[in-house]
Amino acid sequence: MPSSSPDSIHTVLVVDDSAVIRDLIQTALSPKYRVLALSNAVDALAAIYHEQISILLLDVLMPEIDGLELCRTIRNLPQFHQLPIIMITAKDSLFDKVQGRLAGATEYLTKPFNACQLLQTIERLIEINSLKN
């Protein structure tokens, strides 16, 4: 897990098959965070092993391995039990939100997302996670 010193730059991993969404999130977060933006679950799994990821943003609807499956996979890896995971998706029914939580998501935000709300959520989760470590 990453160190939580105030001087460290936290890395946010964004996994979304939409280049437009990846760019929007990267633009919103890059002034404050190091952002890695990937388009699929396979690349994301490789990245969490090779990078010090502070928080993970996942789309639900992706080809091949969707965000829910990726979230469940990550939650089954002991070293990532505490990794904050935010689902960011267009699926906004109560059923979808419950599925996200059952898969292991820490938070569930719907598209279109508010950049300020996303930043506040990330800051809060990083702070909570740093207190646990």
Side-chain angles (χ1 to χ4, degrees), residues 59-60 66-73 87 96 99-100 103 108:
D59 183 19
V60 170
D66 70 20
L68 294 172
E69 185 60 33
L70 178 57
C71 189
R72 282 189 288 271
T73 299
M87 304 300 273
D96 295 320
Q99 275 194 307
Y108 193 100

Side-chain angles (χ1 to χ4, degrees), residues 33-51:
Y33 300 103
R34 177 175 172 249
V35 179
L36 297 177
L38 301 173
S39 63
N40 65 72
V42 174
D43 290 344
L45 278 172
I48 65 169
Y49 280 106
H50 295 99
E51 300 283 343

